Amino acid sequence: MTLTSSVAPAAPAFRGRVRGPGLSVGGAVGVFLLMGFVTGCSAMGGPVRTEAQFLEHVRDTQAAGEDTVRFLGSDPDSAFLGKSTDSASCVDDLGVDRDDTRRDQPSVSWAPDFQHGDAGYRAAVADLRTRWSEQGWKVTTKPVTDPVTDKATGLQEIHTTDDHGVALSLSPGRRTGEGLVVADGGCVRHDGYWDAYAWSRS
């Protein structure tokens, strides 16, 4: 009985010593996971560009769209629709960026007209597929469905991304024989202050 009483109390003490390091390791793992999560979130918008690099990217975005519209036979100024920087997915909700880092997504759109209605639109898609493929850019298409009936219209949207990372697309416009060209610069993290409101109205 004396041996039993002297050995029994040692077991809880041993378990306590084992549990302590286990909790420490678990806490360290939790810290590393949290650090990885924060790092991942801060990288979601890509590298932070200087103000000059970002402004150059904005110019590249608009120029890529204008070049596409000219290729389709329309004047960019007369076919111009508008500029936008609105994108909920580009907003930094987690606050992991530096205080002087901003996120913006420049996008410009045009509405070129095509002769011969839907036939002209199909020809434009075919011409863009050839031109973009010759540039070595990956080209994707997807069928267009009527928003009311959800039935296929027989037309396609066409998409690519150029060498500057600008996403270009052509889709049917609101009228027969009208297209919608969009040049989207993507979500960009950058230094400096950019007056997006003034840019959208320039």
Side-chain angles (χ1 to χ4, degrees):
M1 294 297 292
T2 304
L3 289 175
T4 301
S5 61
S6 63
V7 173
F14 176 75
R15 285 196 296 270
R17 288 195 296 271
V18 172
R19 188 182 297 113
L23 289 174
S24 298
V25 172
V29 170
V31 170
F32 283 121
L33 288 175
L34 180 60
M35 290 174 62
F37 174 74
V38 170
T39 302
C41 290
S42 64
M44 285 172 61
V48 178
R49 306 191 191 193
T50 65
E51 181 177 10
Q53 289 172 331
F54 173 70
L55 293 178
E56 181 179 6
H57 182 66
V58 173
R59 290 190 292 269
D60 287 341
T61 298
Q62 183 161 347
E66 290 176 344
D67 182 60
T68 301
V69 173
R70 289 192 190 96
F71 175 78
L72 295 174
S74 293
D75 175 37
D77 290 335
S78 61
F80 176 75
L81 283 181
K83 301 176 182 179
S84 173
T85 60
D86 296 331
S87 176
S89 62
C90 191
V91 177
D92 178 20
D93 292 329
L94 297 177
V96 293
D97 284 336
R98 301 194 309 262
D99 290 340
D100 58 348
T101 299
R102 298 188 57 185
R103 294 189 183 202
D104 288 293
Q105 185 166 348
S107 178
V108 191
S109 57
W110 297 262
D113 285 321
F114 305 111
Q115 294 182 352
H116 311 300
D118 287 346
Y121 176 85
R122 292 189 183 93
V125 170
D127 290 343
L128 275 183
R129 181 186 290 109
T130 299
R131 185 175 194 240
W132 289 346
S133 297
E134 289 175 348
Q135 299 290 328
W137 303 339
K138 181 181 178 181
V139 180
T140 60
T141 57
K142 67 177 184 178
V144 177
T145 58
D146 187 286
V148 177
T149 64
D150 201 33
K151 293 182 179 179
T153 63
L155 302 178
Q156 290 184 321
E157 294 181 9
I158 185 169
H159 301 259
T160 194
T161 301
D162 73 3
D163 296 330
H164 297 289
V166 178
L168 298 168
S169 65
L170 170 65
S171 58
R174 293 170 294 182
R175 298 179 288 104
T176 300
E178 181 185 68
L180 174 64
V181 172
V182 177
D184 188 342
C187 184
V188 181
R189 302 165 69 220
H190 63 94
D191 292 329
Y193 175 76
W194 183 51
D195 192 342
Y197 180 83
W199 172 78
S200 66
R201 282 154 178 76
S202 64

